[in-house]
C-alpha cells in the first residue's frame, strides 16, 4: 500500500512544541509529528503561537506531506514518525 493523507486535521501540541497529523498505509494509521523548527524551514517563515503554526502548516501542507512520505518510506513498518528540520532540504 502507499501512504495517503485523507484526514486534513492537524493539531498543535504545546508541551512538545510540535504539530500532530495522521497518514494511512492501508488501514494502518501512522502518527506524524512535525517539530516547530522543521515547520519554520518548510514554511520558509518565522512565526509564534498555535494559530500561526497551524496556518503555516496549511500553507506548506504539500511540502510537509512529501517529506512525511519520504521519512515513512525509510521506516516502512513504523506507526509513528517525527519530521525534523533535516527532512526539509
Amino acid at each position: 500500500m502507499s501512504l495517503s493523507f485523507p484526514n486534513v486535521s492537524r493539531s498543535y501540541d504545546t508541551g512538545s512544541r510540535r504539530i500532530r497529523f495522521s497518514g494511512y498505509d492501508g488501514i494502518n494509521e501512522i502518527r506524524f509529528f512535525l517539530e516547530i523548527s522543521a515547520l519554520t524551514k518548510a514554511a520558509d517563515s518565522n512565526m509564534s503561537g498555535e494559530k500561526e503554526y497551524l496556518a503555516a502548516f496549511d500553507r506548506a501542507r504539500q511540502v510537509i506531506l512529501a517529506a512525511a512520505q519520504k521519512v515513512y518510506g525509510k521506516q516502512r513498518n513504523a506507526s509513528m514518525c517525527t519530521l525534523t528540520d533535516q527532512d526539509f532540504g
Side-chain angles (χ1 to χ4, degrees):
M1 279 280 161
S2 63
L3 188 63
S4 64
F5 299 93
N7 185 349
V8 297
S9 68
R10 74 287 183 269
S11 61
Y12 177 62
D13 181 341
T14 305
S16 299
R17 290 190 38 84
R18 59 189 185 180
I19 293 179
R20 297 180 292 213
F21 63 101
S22 295
Y24 294 86
D25 187 355
I27 61 169
N28 298 318
E29 180 179 14
I30 314 303
R31 292 173 294 150
F32 286 92
F33 300 98
L34 174 65
E35 294 179 350
I36 293 304
S37 61
L39 175 63
T40 301
K41 192 169 188 177
D44 194 30
S45 65
N46 291 316
M47 65 217 95
S48 64
E50 181 175 355
K51 268 186 157 177
E52 289 180 357
Y53 294 146
L54 295 176
F57 180 95
D58 292 342
R59 285 191 306 274
R61 181 176 293 273
Q62 295 307 314
V63 171
I64 293 166
L65 298 184
Q69 288 178 326
K70 188 175 178 183
V71 169
Y72 180 69
K74 295 176 186 175
Q75 307 171 17
R76 195 69 163 139
N77 293 320
S79 62
M80 180 186 80
C81 296
T82 299
L83 304 178
T84 67
D85 54 343
Q86 296 170 338
D87 297 313
F88 298 90

